[in-house]
Structure formats: structure tokens, C-alpha cells
Amino acid sequence: MLVRVGFEIGISCSQPTPMTMHLAIHPERRRDIVGETGLSASNDVRFASYRDIYGNDCRRCLVPEGGMELRYDAVVEDDGEPDEYDPTAELVPVDRLPAEALAFLLPSRYCETEHLSDFAWRRFGSIQSGWERVQAVCDYVHERLTFSYGYARATRTACQANDERVGVCRDFAHLAVALCRCLNIPARYVNGFMGDIGVPVDPAPMDFNAWFEVYLGDRWYTFDARHNQRRIGRIAVAKGRDAADIPLFHTFGPHTLEMFNVWTYEAKTRIARPEAIQQKHSLIEPWHSPFWARHSRSHTSLSPSLTER
């Protein structure tokens, strides 16, 4: 299966402003790219590449006075299978975890485990199976929080999401990550592309998505507390402790977001052509349109294409 992904992002700045970006497809999926245009920017902006401490490919640049527009388009080959399911994957005692997993047991900016630990052990501690325990966390978060663009807030933490019972996909992921860490299960935050493949089409504008991974047995597994079902065609962009580690872009000075279009869908050709993209809605709309601000997708049952696999 081929999945087409990409974005158009426009920002304005009143003065030259340094910026870093986590917008490149994750190194683990680079080999699956069969066609891409590469990241391009208006106003002849030049990028420098670097790899962060979590292994993500990043860019940095100086945004000129007035701002710039970023564009990227790629076609990625995917196996077309839903997220891996392995109910036999077991908990790993902390003393046997690989050293690189230990950082994902600790509290972080948006995942304050010290405030959720007692609750987590009371609620989930009696579940002995590793996979079942993580799934119970997903079930709880999925039912606890209500999704709506109108509830987005960049400063909301896992504890605040649990108390307020609202959020967007990053809040679902943060709360699930924090609860898993409380239970001594390494958990990391992931953002990336995920389209409506194998599920009913969501009428809301496409966005980057957030989910999480946990370390069970001898590897990392994907879980998604917001959708709470196995999905097809996830394309990871960056992985870290939480959203503070892997912002899509971060400016060291004020900026205004002028354009934000994202696309992810099953492709019929390997050709990447950003000029062919036609977006009916922009993700800018949710912050200004009463309809999108209120939009909240109801919980839907698993599609037959996923439950039968």
C-alpha cells in the first residue's frame, strides 16, 4: 500500500527569528519513502540538519522578517496491516530493561507521574498481563477524555487533562504515557501522519496525530488512546518523552501561524507533487470557526477491516 503525506505551513515573523523543526519522517521509516519532494521554503530560506538526542531528524533555519511558507510531499510504502497486536507481550522488570528505555519511565514536562502514581496503581495494578494493563490504560483514557479542537491548549498536562476530561490527541497520549510510566512501563510520545485508512472518514481538517509506544517483552509497541483501535498507515515523524521534546516547529521569538494544511491518504501513484494538493479545509479554521471549534468525533466501533485481521 502507498500512503501520501505532506503539509503546507505558513508563518509570519516581525523580525528574523531562529526556528527548529521536527517535520521529517522518522529515520525508521526513511527506507519506506518511494518518492518525495523534500522540504522547501519560500524566500530562499536555507536549512541545516541535525539529529536530536532521541534519534529524530531535525532542521533549523533563520526565518526572515515577514515569514515564510514550508512545503513537503512524499509517498511512503506501507505494509497495509493494522498496528501490531501481541497479547503475549509481557511486562519487563525495571532492572532488566535496556538502558535506553529508562528515560521513558521518568516524569517529563507534560507527564507528571508523581501526581498520578497512587491512582494508577489502585486502578491498574492488579492487572498482571503487560498487554492487558496497557490496554486498560487506553480504555480508561479513551472514555475519560472528550476530544474537540475547541479544547486545545498548549499548556495542558496529563494531570490537567485527567481533571478537565477534555483535550486533543496530544492530551490523550500524554495521559496514557504518564499512567504507563507510573506502572513502570516505559512509554514514549509519538507524533506523525495518520489518515482515515480503513475507518470512516473524519470530516474535520486533517492534522498531525499523536499516539504513544510502550516497551513490552523485547520491543516497542504502538497504542492509541484517542482512537483506541488498531489503525493502518501510521507514519511516525518524531518520538520523545512528550510534546515538549518534539514540537513540530519552535520559534525563538514571536510568530503567527498563517497557514497549516496537512494531508495523509492512500495513494495510487508513487509521484509526489505538492502543487496538486487541494485542501477543502485548513487546520487554521478550528480556532476561528464555531463549527470546527465544537467538532467532537463520537466514539465509533472498530471497522470490520481491522477487527477481522
Side-chain angles (χ1 to χ4, degrees), residues 28 86 88-105 129-134 176-177 180-181 183-190 212-223 239:
E28 293 177 353
D86 184 4
T88 67
E90 290 295 341
L91 300 169
V92 181
V94 174
D95 61 308
R96 298 180 188 174
L97 286 168
E100 59 270 21
L102 295 177
F104 299 102
L105 290 175
S129 164
W131 191 274
E132 289 181 11
R133 185 178 287 186
V134 177
V177 164
C180 286
R181 290 179 188 169
L183 300 164
N184 292 334
I185 302 173
R188 62 190 183 189
Y189 177 93
V190 185
F212 71 106
E213 295 178 347
V214 299
Y215 193 88
L216 295 172
D218 61 355
R219 53 159 298 180
W220 293 94
Y221 290 92
T222 294
F223 284 84
K239 304 179 182 184

Side-chain angles (χ1 to χ4, degrees), residues 103-159:
F104 299 102
L105 290 175
L106 304 177
S108 56
R109 166 67 179 85
Y110 292 106
C111 301
E112 59 276 65
T113 55
E114 59 271 37
H115 299 303
L116 290 166
S117 183
D118 289 345
F119 166 75
W121 282 106
R122 289 196 309 270
R123 179 87 184 209
F124 309 106
S126 63
I127 304 173
Q128 298 303 310
S129 164
W131 191 274
E132 289 181 11
R133 185 178 287 186
V134 177
Q135 185 56 59
V137 168
C138 284
D139 293 342
Y140 170 79
V141 175
H142 183 70
E143 295 300 327
R144 179 75 178 176
L145 305 187
T146 296
F147 177 90
S148 174
Y149 287 120
Y151 298 141
R153 189 175 78 240
T155 59
R156 182 182 288 116
T157 68
C159 284

Side-chain angles (χ1 to χ4, degrees), residues 178-283:
L179 291 171
C180 286
R181 290 179 188 169
C182 289
L183 300 164
N184 292 334
I185 302 173
R188 62 190 183 189
Y189 177 93
V190 185
N191 66 34
F193 298 97
M194 188 180 71
D196 298 323
I197 300 174
V199 297
V201 175
D202 189 333
M206 185 62 66
D207 190 1
F208 285 95
N209 268 267
W211 58 89
F212 71 106
E213 295 178 347
V214 299
Y215 193 88
L216 295 172
D218 61 355
R219 53 159 298 180
W220 293 94
Y221 290 92
T222 294
F223 284 84
D224 186 339
R226 188 243 160 145
H227 297 96
N228 204 25
Q229 65 182 82
R230 299 161 65 204
R231 294 289 292 267
I232 295 171
R234 294 184 199 269
I235 311 296
V237 168
K239 304 179 182 184
R241 294 175 304 170
D242 61 28
D245 286 337
I246 52 172
L248 294 172
F249 59 89
H250 179 82
T251 59
F252 295 84
H255 75 271
T256 301
L257 187 63
E258 302 288 355
M259 176 176 62
F260 198 101
N261 295 321
V262 181
W263 51 89
T264 310
Y265 57 88
E266 187 172 0
K268 303 301 182 184
T269 174
R270 292 171 174 250
I271 299 174
R273 297 174 300 170
E275 70 278 2
I277 295 297
Q278 297 292 327
Q279 291 289 101
K280 183 177 180 180
H281 296 289
S282 167
L283 198 64

Side-chain angles (χ1 to χ4, degrees), residues 1-5 25 29-38 72-79 235 265-273:
M1 183 181 75
L2 299 176
V3 181
R4 187 175 183 185
V5 301
I25 290 176
R29 296 304 302 267
R30 289 294 306 175
R31 65 183 179 276
D32 298 326
I33 298 174
V34 297
E36 68 176 336
T37 61
Y72 177 77
D73 193 65
V75 178
V76 182
E77 191 166 23
D78 190 80
D79 62 13
I235 311 296
Y265 57 88
E266 187 172 0
K268 303 301 182 184
T269 174
R270 292 171 174 250
I271 299 174
R273 297 174 300 170

